[in-house]
Amino acid sequence: MYDHIKKQDKQVYKALMGEEVREAEGLELIPSENYVSLAVREANASILTNKYSEGYPGRRYYGGQEYTDQVENLARDRAKKLFGAKYVNVQPLGGANANIAMYMALLQPGDTILGMDLSHGGHLTHGHPVTYLTKIFKFARYKMKDANTGEIDYEEMRQVAVMERPKIILAGFSAYPRELDYAKFVDIAREVGAIAVMDIAHIAGLIAGKAVKNSFDYGFDIMTTTTHKTLRGPRGGMILVRESEELAKKIDKAVFPGLQGGPHMNNVAAKAIAFGEALKPSFKKYAKQILKNAKAMEMVFKHHNIRLIAGGTDNHLLLADVYGSLGVTGKEAQELLDTIGITVNKNAIADDARGPMDPSGIRFGTPAITTRGFDEKASARVAELMIESLKNRSDKKVQKRIREEIRTMCKKHPIPKVFR
Ligand code: DSN
């Protein structure tokens, strides 16, 4: 791989090789990251990057669309099958674009969205004040009732919904480890006449692999997602519509020409390949193993009395209050773990008294190590090593020994051939 880059551009080649080694010799625990197959990477680097394809299959602005139509139709058909959707738009360039297009399709400026508070697990595009979205729309928020159990305060959500009359009730998260009560969301949405939208970006692969519930089964109208993360596809976005043709038409118009120009057809081809992989029985096994591995890590953190936000996990991710439990900030923990070959991300915990650049928590999860073939025992050992490292942060000998053990683990569980 990279033969042409090697000949043509030594500087970029060097950086790419550095990343190859970093990914091979360290453990990736950022819960939104994964290793994609070489087939996905080939499609992403394919000839389709040459082509402009504004519009949709059968209705494009430019000629020469015979093969782009084939690829987009394959991606659409497979996505519909995976998630039980009647309509899908596979063109959003990322999860944020998917959410923005969804807002544009369903709302007028000034309309209200009810979404999860960022520090309780929501996402920037769910209404954080730093985003441009808050200049256009109003955002109301719901939170967890108790950060130690993760239970959402559905009664408060209902009261806010009745008062604020949101047009969209938005479920979904980027740092929330529990399953949501989808039926309650839908009840509240129907009561106030809102559209129920679930941002499944983090758990799309778990839904596709039938390891967690699918919000469409509870009557949600729309799901937005990224196609990477647990779904193990290329970096990109997608919007699924359960059954309303009217909503689907609005979404297509919002994605193009409303928000984006020409779709990245190389990326759409890579999505088609990833969805094909996710339809295979082996993907179900993978998705279930992600959950088992996360549970195994949860048990170790609990055994060491380290506070987990929401009290544990029902999905692929965990959020630990390392500042409260070990006196090490999220930033310090992230940096220390980097030195032993474990990549996590610092993360705010519910109502964090510390700022976002150095919060109290770390977020970590199991999608990538599960792709590497880790089982519960190996995942539990990773958790033990994380804790040992954090507890002995000034002991250089301990850190060195742990780094060596991680290197050995990486050799024992190399990134499988189809992924590198
Ligand atoms: N950056 C993504 C994540 O890590 O969850 C969300 O946008």
Side-chain angles (χ1 to χ4, degrees), residues 153-167:
D153 196 336
Y154 290 101
E155 192 37 47
E156 191 200 19
M157 185 197 293
R158 200 188 141 268
Q159 285 165 11
V160 177
V162 168
M163 212 163 64
E164 301 284 344
R165 309 307 289 189
K167 293 268 168 58

Side-chain angles (χ1 to χ4, degrees), residues 138-189:
K138 288 193 212 132
F139 287 88
R141 289 177 232 300
Y142 57 87
K143 291 183 167 189
M144 288 182 270
K145 182 153 71 182
D146 179 353
N148 289 319
T149 63
E151 196 194 340
I152 301 287
D153 196 336
Y154 290 101
E155 192 37 47
E156 191 200 19
M157 185 197 293
R158 200 188 141 268
Q159 285 165 11
V160 177
V162 168
M163 212 163 64
E164 301 284 344
R165 309 307 289 189
K167 293 268 168 58
I168 292 173
I169 294 206
L170 182 60
F173 44 77
S174 58
Y176 178 75
R178 294 296 188 192
E179 283 233 72
L180 297 170
D181 188 339
Y182 295 129
K184 287 208 172 107
F185 277 88
V186 171
D187 274 356
I188 297 169

Side-chain angles (χ1 to χ4, degrees), residues 98-120:
N99 281 342
I100 295 165
M102 177 271 291
Y103 295 148
M104 285 174 57
L106 309 180
L107 303 175
Q108 294 299 318
D111 282 348
T112 300
I113 299 142
L114 177 58
M116 195 190 248
D117 190 87
L118 182 74
S119 85
H120 283 234

Side-chain angles (χ1 to χ4, degrees), residues 77-90:
D77 290 346
R78 291 173 185 175
K80 286 188 234 172
K81 204 164 162 196
L82 268 181
F83 294 98
K86 204 157 167 197
Y87 303 95
V88 62
N89 189 308
V90 294

